[in-house]
Amino acid sequence: MNPPVVPGNRPLTPQQKDGLAWVGRWGGRDVVLAIDLTESVGLNDPGRLHLRQIIEKTLTKGDTVHILPFAMTVRSSVVFDYQGSADIPKILEAVPMNAGTEQGTDIMCAELFVYRYLAQLNQDRLQNQQPIKNQSVIWITDAPLNLPQGQADQWIEVPNSVCGLADTPEAQERSQWFAALPMQQRSIQPGKFQLTVVDVPATVQEFCTPRPGGGEVCLVNAYLWEQLWWQILLVGVLGMLSLGGGLWLTARWVRQQIPWSVTVQVGDQEYRFALKHGQKIGVGGSVAGTFLVVPLPSMVAIATLERRDQTLVIHALESGVLTCDGQPIFGSITIPKHRGFVLLAYKDEIIRITL
């Protein structure tokens, strides 16, 4: 059995908070319906509508619903693991829609109970190496929430609440939970009560203990590694692949920007070009897309020479008439740079290309 949770002895670092938030993305939510049962609170029609909307429209598969009615004390919870719309009638049936007969609400002790209850759920998950959850409390009460410690008398129904008097252990723990849990709150007032939603991002309590011989043992980093090691590994592998791919593309781009020295010799005439990636040479005459031309005695355009990365593409404008090293060219052939040179023949004209 896991020990009762208390506020941690070490604040979480920003990196730990980010890691816990990532774990909380995959585990669904804890949704607590904290409903005041005193006679002064009764859900009117707008209140019932809002509560029904919360249950019908905001729950998603994987959420856990905790119904916690309270007045002077908090009753035992009713818990549902929400799997879909078929669970909605059962949840609505378990929610107390009508006011009870009790006359007082100890809201401060109810707050202590509920926030300790939420913290215990996630702390148990941490101890059991399970994914923690984002959490929300829906408070339905006419009592004031978040009264500072020592101001129990501000709530007339329980002015001597042990959880609101100054410096009692219960009041101090309640204040500590307010500080330890990163709460975000918003409210509406559909009747003589308030409906307040308090969201608590996925979090746990960090406890660090000195280790004999030096150092210390802490909970959160080990937990995060256990939950996220495969994601960290995947991100690392993808990062290395991205880095390697980026370096390869950069190196390829740099190679493409370095001009080649291409020499084309026709008879006793020699033509030298600094050819970049994508540039073309027209052989025999100007061809669309070429800015460089090697003239032939026949004055007939017979081919183009195009640099593509680390190769030279020879495209014959008429299939079978031009040969490369004695072999007819039908369409195009690709010559790698390391080939050094090739010989083209067109009728009685010999063309030597040196790379």
Side-chain angles (χ1 to χ4, degrees):
M1 183 176 178
N2 293 323
V5 65
V6 294
N9 68 352
R10 182 76 57 86
L12 297 172
T13 66
Q15 294 78 15
Q16 289 175 327
K17 292 178 182 177
D18 290 343
L20 293 171
W22 186 256
V23 174
R25 291 170 62 93
W26 316 110
R29 299 173 301 161
D30 289 314
V31 179
V32 173
L33 303 178
I35 301 174
D36 191 335
L37 293 180
T38 53
E39 189 175 6
S40 59
V41 177
L43 288 179
N44 55 12
D45 289 341
R48 289 186 174 89
L49 174 63
H50 288 300
L51 187 57
R52 192 178 189 97
Q53 282 182 325
I54 290 171
I55 294 171
E56 291 183 341
K57 305 299 183 182
T58 68
L59 295 180
T60 59
K61 186 176 180 179
D63 289 349
T64 304
V65 180
H66 309 259
I67 301 173
L68 286 172
F70 66 94
M72 289 303 293
T73 59
V74 180
R75 296 187 182 181
S76 299
S77 61
V78 180
V79 181
F80 295 90
D81 291 322
Y82 184 76
Q83 298 300 316
S85 58
D87 292 333
I88 291 176
K90 294 183 291 185
I91 297 173
L92 289 171
E93 185 179 351
V95 173
M97 293 290 188
N98 298 313
T101 58
E102 294 189 59
Q103 298 299 313
T105 297
D106 190 343
I107 187 62
M108 287 154 283
C109 282
E111 288 176 313
L112 170 59
F113 182 96
V114 169
Y115 293 126
R116 182 200 291 149
Y117 177 88
L118 287 177
Q120 187 72 60
L121 291 172
N122 271 340
Q123 206 71 14
D124 287 346
R125 292 170 184 136
L126 177 144
Q127 295 288 348
N128 296 325
Q129 291 297 325
Q130 298 170 344
I132 61 173
K133 296 187 177 188
N134 292 303
Q135 299 174 314
S136 295
V137 187
I138 294 89
W139 290 98
I140 298 175
T141 181
D142 61 349
L145 298 172
N146 310 326
L147 282 175
Q149 183 184 160
Q151 296 189 16
D153 57 351
Q154 298 299 308
W155 175 232
I156 58 174
E157 291 187 6
V158 191
N160 295 314
S161 171
V162 69
C163 298
L165 298 174
D167 300 326
T168 65
E170 294 83 358
Q172 290 177 349
E173 184 183 354
R174 173 175 169 271
S175 298
Q176 289 169 353
W177 283 124
F178 281 148
L181 298 177
M183 303 179 197
Q184 301 167 1
Q185 178 174 313
R186 55 200 186 278
S187 301
I188 61 172
Q189 190 154 1
K192 56 187 177 180
F193 58 89
Q194 277 198 333
L195 189 154
T196 300
V197 177
V198 178
D199 293 318
V200 183
T203 190
V204 292
Q205 303 307 303
E206 174 67 293
F207 292 94
C208 294
T209 303
R211 185 199 304 269
E216 59 184 5
V217 179
C218 300
L219 297 178
V220 175
N221 285 343
Y223 170 77
L224 288 174
W225 174 250
E226 183 70 25
Q227 294 297 310
L228 299 177
W229 68 267
W230 64 272
Q231 299 178 50
I232 295 171
L233 180 61
L234 179 60
V235 170
V237 170
L238 292 177
M240 292 178 63
L241 291 175
S242 298
L243 178 61
L247 292 174
W248 181 82
L249 290 173
T250 301
R252 184 183 179 210
W253 181 84
V254 170
R255 287 199 309 268
Q256 292 173 350
Q257 304 313 304
I258 300 173
W260 277 7
S261 177
V262 178
T263 302
V264 181
Q265 184 176 355
V266 182
D268 58 355
Q269 294 295 316
E270 189 173 271
Y271 305 88
R272 293 181 180 274
F273 304 95
L275 200 63
K276 293 183 179 180
H277 172 73
Q279 288 185 322
K280 292 182 181 180
I281 303 170
V283 179
S286 181
V287 180
T290 63
F291 296 95
L292 309 170
V293 176
V294 175
L296 294 179
S298 63
M299 299 301 294
V300 176
I302 61 172
T304 61
L305 310 178
E306 180 184 1
R307 178 186 165 187
R308 292 184 188 170
D309 198 13
Q310 300 300 296
T311 63
L312 186 71
V313 178
I314 303 173
H315 178 68
L317 301 180
E318 186 178 349
S319 295
V321 176
L322 183 67
T323 65
C324 177
D325 294 337
Q327 300 296 319
I329 301 176
F330 298 95
S332 301
I333 61 171
T334 300
I335 308 298
K337 186 176 185 295
H338 61 75
R339 176 87 170 265
F341 73 94
V342 293
L343 292 176
L344 303 183
Y346 175 71
K347 297 182 179 178
D348 58 349
E349 297 171 349
I350 302 299
I351 306 162
R352 178 186 174 93
I353 303 173
T354 305
L355 305 178

